[in-house]
Amino acid sequence: MKATEVTRIHGAFLFEPTPYADARGFFCRTFDADVIRSVGLDPHAFVQDSVSRSVRGVLRGLHLRSGRGEAKLVRCSYGRIFDVVVDLRPDSPTYRNVATFELTGETQTTLYIPAGCAHGFQALTGTADTSYRIDRPHDPAEDVTIAYDDPELAIPWPLPATSMSQRDREAPGLASVLKHMER
């Protein structure tokens, strides 16, 4: 497994495994504590695993957590997704940068997203399973959502959004969220 720093988002990393393929399919390691540790992260910090299944065009996000935030490892375990990270840490050298990735079940690449960054994705295939590993238990009272189509962010979503939650549809723009978080 190889770790690569994401230059557009300070403290973010891509973890690229080496799948072993044969006539049966493939095998690969998707989490390696030693590799996580090698980039200065604590592999034992991750306390919850979750998975979502989406159909083509479904858009989830942009989500982040208030308070201490939430660091996460995100991987598309089946299908393909267009993944987005927005750095919203005021003290970060990449503050307000947007980075996009295509994560696929074929490569099993994992993206580490530091706490304080917003995250969202769109399913590009008929079925897309996305796995999350987060560093603290989820508390819905800390959920923050930003409009996926905020013009300031200008995220180049590859497909029309065919479906999203009501919370995501009604999300405020970035400026409103940042103003509220400053309080």
Side-chain angles (χ1 to χ4, degrees), residues 2-16 39 41 72-74 83-87 89 92-95 97-103 109-114 117:
K2 177 176 87 171
T4 306
E5 190 169 0
V6 175
T7 56
R8 291 207 38 87
I9 306 292
H10 180 73
F13 292 90
L14 287 170
F15 295 97
E16 301 170 75
V39 298
L41 302 175
K72 58 178 108 173
L73 294 166
V74 177
D83 202 89
V84 177
V85 179
V86 182
D87 189 343
R89 302 166 294 170
S92 170
T94 55
Y95 180 56
N97 276 6
V98 175
T100 64
F101 310 87
E102 185 172 299
L103 301 178
T109 296
T110 298
L111 172 63
Y112 171 74
I113 303 167
C117 293

Side-chain angles (χ1 to χ4, degrees), residues 50-164:
S50 302
V51 66
S52 67
R53 174 165 287 166
S54 304
V55 297
R56 188 174 196 273
V58 165
L59 198 143
R60 297 179 187 260
L62 300 165
H63 302 149
L64 72 151
R65 303 251 320 261
S66 61
R68 289 187 306 134
E70 169 185 85
K72 58 178 108 173
L73 294 166
V74 177
R75 176 174 55 87
C76 181
S77 53
Y78 182 83
R80 290 182 316 136
I81 63 171
F82 177 79
D83 202 89
V84 177
V85 179
V86 182
D87 189 343
L88 296 177
R89 302 166 294 170
D91 296 334
S92 170
T94 55
Y95 180 56
R96 291 197 183 204
N97 276 6
V98 175
T100 64
F101 310 87
E102 185 172 299
L103 301 178
T104 73
E106 285 186 24
T107 66
Q108 297 291 316
T109 296
T110 298
L111 172 63
Y112 171 74
I113 303 167
C117 293
H119 174 251
F121 69 89
Q122 184 175 45
L124 300 177
T125 51
T127 300
D129 290 347
T130 305
S131 301
Y132 314 82
R133 182 171 275 187
I134 60 175
D135 72 343
R136 63 191 187 105
H138 180 248
D139 180 353
E142 296 178 328
D143 288 348
V144 177
T145 306
I146 299 168
Y148 77 99
D149 58 353
D150 185 287
E152 183 179 340
L153 297 173
I155 297 168
W157 299 102
L159 301 172
T162 59
S163 182
M164 64 179 61

